[in-house]
Amino acid sequence: MSLIVQKFGGTSVANTERLKNVARIVTDTKKKGNQVVVVVSAQGDTTDEFEMKAKELNENPSSREMDVLLSSGEQISMALLAMAIEKLGFPVISLTGWQAGFKTKSDHCNARIKKIDTSRLEHELNSNKIVIVAGFQGIDKYDDITTLGRGGSDTSAVAIAAALNADLCQIYTDVDGVYTADPRLVKNAVKLEEISFDEMLELATLGAQVLHNRSVEMAKKYNVNLEVLSSLTNTSGTKVKEKVTMEKLLIRGVTKDDDTSRIALLNVPDRPGFAYQIFALMSKYNINVDIIVQSIGRSDMKDISFTVPMKDMELAQKILTERKDSIGIGDVIATDSVSKVSIVGAGMQTNPGVAAKMFEALYSVGININMISTSEIKISVLVDKKDSVRAVNVIHEAFFE
Ligand code: ASP
Ligand code: MG
């Protein structure tokens, strides 16, 4: 007998038909003699709609009350799915995040899981029930409801799989796996049979919308056997694991992230201490800096550019502009009409020429590269936002077609 955790995203539980479909998948798994824990997201766009409703009343609601609101979407899904499964004649129980033992920190709307007290889950599984758990939520030390950050149900599922030492954690979504590029942008994107945790983590962080990146981090840490597949088709998905066979692929995927902006600081004196002052300031205001590029100094000045998430652009520009005279730097120029396009793959560690191939593809269609950053298994470039879809396509073509 195996223990399987199955997570169903918003699209998979969006309406009555879809819920019946999920009930069939779950009960088929149970029928085969497995223990099953099911984690559900809110139906369809419920969470977005809740956010909009809140904003109609208060542009800046407290994050505690946001969590009370947002967590209710998953509670609807879990009850409806339990009813659909009851109807098929199987013993079932639905549990909220806190009933299922999710203890989190108190950072509302983006809470970290501290631990899962699995006693209730185990009790229900031992009474032969299918257990449905509301994803994306938990409770903090003050007994207040918390949520794990948008897309956090994946992390709930992986956390349960890790805590119960499950044999498999299946993430059912509306795409049937992880692709070499977003199939909505790239016609010839192909599904990957498997991908390593490290590659998946880079892809998830660099804009691929398949898995919540914290769920991948956690799967890697606890070596959870993870699979991404579709609830709407009956095909095999993508396995995410520690080691994958290397095939002949130089890279595993191409992705883009539009949620970025660039700050350029002109005429920064070419002396020790300026970079420190600038980035200490960013860190003080909790602004996450990503790619940093510094030009070679002309006479005794240089320029420094860096990227920050779009939501932090105005703040970064404001605090630097206010202090440019006291720090002693020139103009501060910000733009959000940029995108980060990345390639990811463990193959690039052992194969020279991967960067050249990527840059050649961009050059061949006249796309200018603003910034470059690399790590062991990824290369990112910053391009104009208007070029980003074309960039993903030509790079994909260069490596996969
Ligand atoms: N319902 C939440 C969201 O839309 C959590 C999730 O779907 O994973 O962000
Ligand atoms: Mg969702």
Side-chain angles (χ1 to χ4, degrees):
M1 183 175 61
S2 294
L3 170 56
I4 300 181
V5 177
Q6 300 184 313
K7 180 259 171 178
F8 295 91
T11 332
S12 301
V13 296
N15 54 43
T16 305
E17 274 322 301
R18 298 266 171 91
L19 281 162
K20 284 186 184 167
N21 175 52
V22 169
R24 258 191 309 273
I25 295 174
V26 171
T27 52
D28 281 349
T29 311
K30 177 74 180 157
K31 259 187 250 168
K32 291 184 185 138
N34 302 298
Q35 290 186 312
V36 192
V37 179
V38 183
V39 174
V40 287
S41 287
Q43 293 184 282
D45 296 326
T46 305
T47 314
D48 293 326
E49 283 157 18
F50 284 162
E51 281 188 339
M52 284 187 298
K53 264 191 194 150
K55 295 265 140 71
E56 282 170 23
L57 291 160
N58 181 344
E59 332 60 80
N60 200 9
S62 69
S63 51
R64 181 194 184 279
E65 297 310 325
M66 275 312 281
D67 277 349
V68 177
L69 178 65
L70 296 189
S71 62
S72 67
E74 273 67 14
Q75 199 167 329
I76 295 173
S77 301
M78 75 189 211
L80 292 175
L81 180 60
M83 293 171 195
I85 292 175
E86 271 174 3
K87 176 79 180 171
L88 297 178
F90 286 76
V92 60
I93 186 166
S94 70
L95 302 173
T96 61
W98 45 101
Q99 288 175 312
F102 274 79
K103 314 279 186 209
T104 75
K105 298 216 174 136
S106 295
D107 34 358
H108 284 286
C109 294
N110 199 23
R112 296 259 158 185
I113 299 169
K114 275 183 17 198
K115 64 169 225 188
I116 303 179
D117 173 354
T118 55
S119 46
R120 178 76 187 266
L121 282 170
E122 281 169 72
H123 171 77
E124 302 298 351
L125 285 170
N126 291 337
S127 347
N128 197 32
K129 286 184 192 139
I130 294 169
V131 185
I132 305 174
V133 178
F136 172 58
Q137 54 180 259
I139 195 166
D140 70 4
K141 64 177 175 200
Y142 307 108
D143 282 354
D144 282 331
I145 299 172
T146 54
T147 62
L148 309 182
R150 294 300 310 269
S153 298
D154 293 341
T155 302
S156 307
V158 172
I160 291 180
L164 292 175
N165 201 6
D167 298 282
L168 178 61
C169 180
Q170 297 180 307
I171 308 285
Y172 283 91
T173 166
D174 51 349
V175 289
D176 58 356
V178 181
Y179 278 70
T180 50
D182 184 340
R184 288 165 300 190
L185 302 180
V186 177
K187 209 171 73 248
N188 295 326
V190 290
K191 188 168 71 184
L192 297 164
E193 298 273 310
E194 46 182 34
I195 184 168
S196 71
F197 287 131
D198 290 328
E199 291 170 321
M200 190 63 237
L201 189 56
E202 290 282 11
L203 278 181
T205 311
L206 294 168
Q209 282 154 5
V210 210
L211 284 172
H212 196 223
N213 61 357
R214 267 159 63 192
S215 72
V216 186
E217 248 168 44
M218 192 176 294
K220 177 178 166 64
K221 183 164 170 199
Y222 296 100
N223 206 5
V224 171
N225 206 348
L226 195 61
E227 185 178 5
V228 178
L229 65 179
S230 166
S231 61
L232 308 174
T233 63
N234 207 350
T235 51
S236 67
T238 302
K239 300 210 160 55
V240 192
K241 48 196 207 182
E242 186 59 42
K243 281 220 163 19
V244 301
T245 47
M246 275 306 293
E247 303 159 36
K248 282 189 207 64
L249 293 181
L250 281 181
I251 66 166
R252 200 71 65 176
V254 188
T255 185
K256 79 174 172 84
D257 183 2
D258 289 332
D259 177 20
T260 186
S261 63
R262 185 188 58 215
I263 310 279
L265 307 177
L266 307 185
N267 289 325
V268 178
D270 199 4
R271 289 197 303 275
F274 281 88
Y276 161 64
Q277 283 187 69
I278 291 158
F279 294 109
L281 204 53
M282 294 298 105
S283 131
K284 182 174 156 206
Y285 283 89
N286 249 325
I287 297 175
N288 237 327
V289 172
D290 183 23
I291 309 177
I292 303 176
V293 169
Q294 173 178 307
S295 69
I296 295 194
R298 2 156 245 286
S299 61
D300 54 351
M301 293 291 185
K302 62 197 175 189
D303 302 332
I304 295 181
S305 309
F306 56 93
T307 60
V308 299
M310 223 146 64
K311 68 168 177 23
D312 293 327
M313 181 183 81
E314 279 176 22
L315 177 63
Q317 185 176 23
K318 180 168 166 283
I319 57 185
L320 285 162
T321 306
E322 280 169 5
R323 292 168 182 74
K324 70 182 180 139
D325 294 335
S326 63
I327 302 177
I329 57 175
D331 283 335
V332 180
I333 301 168
T335 175
D336 64 0
S337 56
V338 289
S339 289
K340 185 165 65 176
V341 173
S342 310
I343 58 176
V344 171
M348 69 177 70
Q349 280 169 303
T350 44
N351 289 287
V354 173
K357 200 176 169 103
M358 179 188 200
F359 302 158
E360 181 190 18
L362 294 170
Y363 165 67
S364 73
V365 292
I367 294 177
N368 189 42
I369 300 172
N370 287 310
M371 293 171 132
I372 301 171
S373 96
T374 65
S375 76
E376 279 179 351
I377 62 163
K378 69 132 204 224
I379 302 170
S380 298
V381 295
L382 201 72
V383 301
D384 287 352
K385 196 165 271 168
K386 65 170 180 20
D387 293 330
S388 66
V389 174
R390 219 156 43 99
V392 170
N393 273 282
V394 289
I395 294 169
H396 190 271
E397 208 172 297
F399 283 96
F400 294 104
E401 294 166 35

